Amino acid sequence: MAGDGGGGGPGPPGHGRHPACRRGGPRGGRGGRGSAVTGRRARRGGWGSAVTERRARRGGDRGAATVWAAFAACALCVVFGVVLALGQAVATRHRAGGAADLAALAAADRALWGEAEACAAASRVAAAQGAELARCAVRDGVAEVAARVVRGPYRPEVRSRAGPPGRAPLPERAPGTAPGPPSGVP
């Protein structure tokens, strides 16, 4: 294979991909005088000799995109896991809040029958909501309860109060006006 500039390696003369082809010839076996490579490749220095030389000086960057893609995929997985954990914590907190509200309403409904009966009703309602009753107290017809939901590492405890509606304050009247419906009401 003398005179082909390929250095005697396998493949077509002057292809420049085999290590042996990179030796020999005035331009490293790629597009030199006597090479089978002609035309544009011969004029610009062969099979990307400038790019190959730059990569050799840098130490090469082959496979760098794969490494970056792997790191990006790992980072996205971590972010996805954090978002899922946060969503589970928020959902558990809302479940505990709903259970506490319903248990307080059940206890307030039974408040006139005694604290034991009111707290038993609150406990049943909390259990039906997938929660446990942490505290229960009934004073003057107002029930105060705390419900806890356990889901994985999350144990939120939410307090709630319920009781008879209080008397709403009357709107203030200007002096000298007669009692009646507020202005603007027909």
Side-chain angles (χ1 to χ4, degrees), residues 148-159:
R148 179 183 309 125
V149 175
V150 179
R151 294 279 187 264
Y154 310 110
R155 300 177 55 90
E157 184 175 305
V158 180
R159 296 181 315 177

Side-chain angles (χ1 to χ4, degrees), residues 27 44 49 66 76 86 90 102 109 118 141 156 164:
R27 292 192 177 179
R44 69 172 194 222
S49 62
T66 304
L76 286 175
L86 184 63
V90 169
L102 290 173
D109 185 46

Side-chain angles (χ1 to χ4, degrees), residues 52-76:
T52 304
E53 289 171 14
R54 275 184 281 171
R55 283 188 184 154
R57 274 186 265 140
R58 284 192 302 221
D61 61 353
R62 294 185 54 86
T66 304
V67 173
W68 280 107
F71 279 128
C74 288
L76 286 175

Side-chain angles (χ1 to χ4, degrees), residues 48-135:
S49 62
V51 173
T52 304
E53 289 171 14
R54 275 184 281 171
R55 283 188 184 154
R57 274 186 265 140
R58 284 192 302 221
D61 61 353
R62 294 185 54 86
T66 304
V67 173
W68 280 107
F71 279 128
C74 288
L76 286 175
C77 287
V78 167
V79 168
F80 184 65
V82 167
V83 168
L84 282 179
L86 184 63
Q88 183 180 10
V90 169
T92 303
R93 164 63 176 85
H94 284 290
R95 180 178 293 257
D101 289 343
L102 290 173
L105 288 172
D109 185 46
R110 304 286 177 139
L112 296 178
W113 296 354
E115 185 173 352
E117 178 64 30
C119 289
S123 180
R124 285 191 304 269
V125 169
Q129 296 298 312
E132 60 188 30
L133 197 63
R135 284 189 301 267

